[in-house]
Every structure is written in C-alpha cells, then in structure tokens.
C-alpha cells in the first residue's frame, strides 16, 4: 500500500528540453521564473510547487516563506511543519542534481529534503504530492484518491476552482507515453503533472520538466488515462 502512495518520477529528457546545468537564476526570495526538473525524481514536489504558484494566495504564502539573506544564503520556513532551514549559497549552487532555472525553487527542494531526512529518513526520490502540500502549506486539507474507472465530469469544476490546487498522475505503466499532448510531448505514467485548468474540450497541464510550458490534452483523453489525483 505504501508504494501506491509514491510517484517514481520520470526525469527530464535533454531531447525535449535543452538547457545547461548552469542555466540558473539567482535566488531573490520569490518564485518568479521557470524551473526545470533536474536529475532527481521529485516531480511530486515540483508539480505541487507549480500548482501552488498558479494561485495568488498560494504564491504569496510560498514567497513569504522565503527570505534571502545578505550573505547569499536563503532561509525557508516550511509552514506545514513549522520548521526553518537556511541553505548556504555554496550548497545552493552545488546541488546541480536538483532543479535548474529559478534557484528559489531549488532552495525549497533542499529544505524539504533536509526535513524528510531528519524526520522520515527519506529523500526526494518518489513521494506523494499531498505530502508536499502539507509540508509547504499545512492545514491537512489535502485529499488523495485513486480512481479505478473513468473520471467523473464533475471533477472539471474542481480543476477550475481557483482555491483548489490539483496534481494528477497515471498509475498504469501500460499507459506510458501512449497519448501525446498538443505539442507532441508524450504523457508518462508514474510522473506528476500540475493540472492548471479545463475548458469545454481540453485540460491544461504543466510537466515539471519545464514549468513554463503549458500542455493541452482533450478532456476525454485526460479522463481516460489519469487516475491519481492530489488536491488541496
């Protein structure tokens, strides 16, 4: 049962997203630029962060948890667990296995990994997006459900509610890369996607490989392949 609560995430493909490991934006205490999943299987965390930043309330709360210090270090307050971690400038830039792009996101990755190591003897490789929501925001308002059949049409309303954050994934490996998004990108099982919105025909997703790239699937395709949902 424990394995069912964990996502073992697909890592980035340089064939799809070409950028250099040194392509980073210095931290400024705000998440205000794109991030790109690195060589660590923490799509569950990055997808949750991307969901939070799509909400004004969530983004404000996340930015308020970041404090850039005069020595170049950055302090992160994890509201959900009331823990604070200061990441040195050296440690931040040395963690090249984590996200590139906006280094404020990388700082959050390091802080959560330190928390997990201290309290769960765990690392960032594979987990539940609901864990990320609870650690970052608190409140224990996260729900996680496994849907064995077709998703009900009513879930579209939840996706479009600005006060609800949604992350989705596919558990069935047989569905891996069977359906392409509008830009031709393959959709992967055991990989977390931020669910941004849905209209009458389409659902819009963000892959943690590139938080600046909006993917589009027909809503019927989304219903047919995604069966794991974490929302807060």
């Amino acid at each position: 049962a424990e394995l069912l609560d964990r996502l073992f995430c697909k890592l980035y493909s340089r064939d799809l997203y070409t950028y250099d490991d040194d392509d980073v934006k210095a931290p400024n205490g705000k998440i205000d630029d794109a991030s790109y999943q690195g060589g660590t299987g923490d799509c569950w965390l990055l997808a949750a962060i991307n969901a939070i930043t799509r909400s004004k309330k969530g983004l404000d709360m996340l930015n308020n948890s970041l404090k850039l210090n005069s020595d170049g270090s950055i302090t992160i307050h994890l509201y959900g667990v009331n823990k604070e971690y200061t990441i040195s400038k050296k440690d931040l830039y040395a963690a090249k296995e984590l996200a590139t792009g906006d280094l404020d996101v990388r700082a959050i990755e390091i802080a959560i990994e330190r928390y997990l190591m201290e309290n769960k003897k765990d690392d960032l490789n594979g987990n539940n997006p609901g864990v990320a929501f609870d650690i970052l925001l608190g409140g224990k308002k996260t729900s996680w459900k496994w849907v064995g059949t077709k998703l009900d049409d009513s879930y579209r309303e939840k996706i479009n509610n600005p006060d609800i954050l949604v992350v989705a994934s596919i558990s069935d490996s047989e569905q891996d890369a069977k359906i392409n998004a509008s830009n031709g990108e393959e959709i992967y099982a055991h990989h977390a996607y931020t669910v941004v919105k849905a209209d009458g025909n389409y659902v819009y997703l963000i892959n943690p490989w590139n938080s600046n790239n909006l993917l589009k699937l027909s809503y019927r395709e989304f219903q047919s392949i995604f069966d794991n949902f974490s929302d807060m």
Side-chain angles (χ1 to χ4, degrees):
E2 182 179 352
L3 289 178
L4 293 178
D5 289 335
R6 302 177 70 87
L7 286 170
F8 296 96
C9 303
K10 304 290 181 183
L11 301 181
Y12 63 73
S13 167
R14 292 194 179 276
D15 293 334
L16 288 174
Y17 301 114
T18 55
Y19 51 86
D20 191 86
D21 284 337
D22 294 323
D23 181 18
V24 296
K25 178 180 178 291
N28 61 358
K30 295 180 181 179
I31 297 177
D32 55 5
D33 207 346
S35 62
Y36 311 88
Q37 183 182 355
T40 300
D42 62 344
C43 62
W44 61 277
L45 171 56
L46 295 175
I49 291 173
N50 291 333
I52 293 169
T53 62
R54 304 297 296 187
S55 156
K56 184 182 184 306
K57 292 178 182 178
L59 180 59
D60 288 345
M61 191 169 181
L62 209 54
N63 285 341
N64 287 336
S65 73
L66 301 168
K67 178 187 175 186
L68 185 64
N69 303 310
S70 59
D71 62 356
S73 65
I74 185 166
T75 300
I76 297 93
H77 182 78
L78 303 178
Y79 283 110
V81 292
N82 196 27
K83 297 280 287 187
E84 198 168 89
Y85 297 89
T86 296
I87 316 301
S88 71
K89 183 176 180 180
K90 178 181 178 181
D91 287 348
L92 185 64
Y93 281 88
K96 292 187 176 183
E97 75 282 2
L98 299 179
T100 54
D102 193 332
L103 287 194
D104 294 283
V105 172
R106 183 184 288 184
I108 293 173
E109 288 178 285
I110 296 172
I112 288 188
E113 181 166 48
R114 290 184 181 178
Y115 169 75
L116 292 174
M117 293 293 289
E118 287 176 4
N119 294 274
K120 299 178 181 295
K121 309 302 181 187
D122 206 350
D123 61 22
L124 292 176
N125 284 289
N127 215 317
N128 183 327
V131 171
F133 285 141
D134 288 339
I135 292 174
L136 289 169
L137 301 181
K140 300 297 182 184
K141 296 178 181 178
T142 303
S143 66
W144 178 256
K145 63 181 179 182
W146 299 82
V147 181
T149 57
K150 186 177 176 181
L151 187 66
D152 189 272
D153 278 328
S154 65
Y155 204 74
R156 192 193 316 256
E157 295 180 13
K158 179 170 281 191
I159 292 171
N160 285 322
N161 187 328
D163 294 324
I164 298 178
L165 315 176
V166 181
V167 174
S169 66
I170 306 164
S171 64
D172 186 358
S173 60
E174 292 183 2
Q175 294 281 3
D176 205 5
K178 295 291 185 181
I179 291 181
N180 291 354
S182 57
N183 67 344
E185 180 177 321
E186 295 173 327
I187 302 297
Y188 292 95
H190 306 294
H191 187 61
Y193 293 82
T194 303
V195 184
V196 178
K197 62 181 179 179
D199 57 26
N201 298 309
Y202 298 101
V203 61
Y204 299 84
L205 309 169
I206 292 174
N207 186 335
W209 293 349
N210 181 351
S211 70
N212 213 28
N213 187 35
L214 200 62
L215 308 179
K216 183 172 74 172
L217 279 179
S218 77
Y219 193 77
R220 296 308 175 196
E221 288 175 329
F222 178 76
Q223 283 181 307
S224 70
I225 64 170
F226 281 87
D227 58 358
N228 310 327
F229 303 90
S230 182
D231 54 65
M232 184 178 193

